[in-house]
Amino acid sequence: MKIYSASISCRIEFSASHYYRVSGWSEEENERRFGKDSRHHGHNYRVEIMIQGKVNPETGMVMNVRDLKKTIKEVVEPLDHKNLNEEVPYFRTCLPTPENLACYFFEVLSLKIQSARMASVRVYETESLWAEYRGEAG
Ligand code: NI
């Protein structure tokens, strides 16, 4: 029997606030570089998680979809209605940009999902702005 490799994707939304400020820069420099983004504001984020693996011939699934949804909720929900810069320890040392959020979700989910491979994480800050991380090093 042929074994297939496929991906399965899941979408989840959360709302959070952030600001872009580099602590070593003056207020004027931050305002000049980041404009309005240097001020505290919120977004409704959309996160798309894709995992890749062999389709289990018995279940027809790459991984148990209930487990997948549960794990994603466990990772994403703690950020909901948070000030990302101040209330999420990971973002004390890097700015909560869509790029860094995608890397964060990818790394945390990779540790929790053992039965399949993380393929990509996309983080949409708006309909027209998103970042994607596929696990590559810089
Ligand atoms: Ni923003």
Side-chain angles (χ1 to χ4, degrees):
M1 188 181 183
K2 188 173 174 182
I3 300 290
Y4 294 92
S5 174
S7 69
I8 179 102
S9 298
C10 217
R11 178 184 296 164
I12 188 168
E13 289 169 6
F14 74 102
S15 301
S17 67
H18 72 172
Y19 49 81
Y20 295 162
R21 258 175 245 155
V22 172
S23 54
W25 296 355
S26 67
E27 205 166 310
E28 295 72 34
E29 181 70 356
N30 276 303
E31 179 80 26
R32 193 176 68 77
R33 299 282 275 265
F34 296 127
K36 278 194 208 168
D37 289 335
S38 69
R39 301 175 217 158
H40 193 197
H41 63 278
H43 294 284
N44 296 316
Y45 291 95
R46 191 167 89 221
V47 185
E48 290 175 358
I49 292 122
M50 187 195 285
I51 66 162
Q52 178 87 31
K54 290 191 173 81
V55 181
N56 181 315
E58 208 167 36
T59 64
M61 294 180 186
V62 168
M63 87 172 263
N64 184 300
V65 78
R66 284 182 65 214
D67 293 346
L68 176 63
K69 284 183 178 172
K70 187 169 164 276
T71 304
I72 289 171
K73 264 189 153 188
E74 281 169 9
V75 171
V76 176
E77 274 189 356
L79 274 61
D80 195 34
H81 287 72
K82 290 279 173 73
N83 173 333
L84 298 174
N85 302 70
E86 293 170 21
E87 293 181 283
V88 181
Y90 183 89
F91 295 110
R92 295 215 174 108
T93 52
C94 66
L95 289 179
T97 58
E99 296 92 320
N100 282 338
L101 279 161
C103 296
Y104 169 77
F105 288 135
F106 191 103
E107 296 298 348
V108 178
L109 284 165
S110 295
L111 298 174
K112 289 179 174 267
I113 294 171
Q114 307 290 338
S115 56
R117 184 177 68 77
M118 287 290 302
S120 67
V121 173
R122 270 189 183 193
V123 174
Y124 287 79
E125 196 175 82
T126 66
E127 279 301 314
S128 56
L129 182 74
W130 69 92
E132 184 177 78
Y133 181 58
R134 292 188 293 261
E136 297 115 335

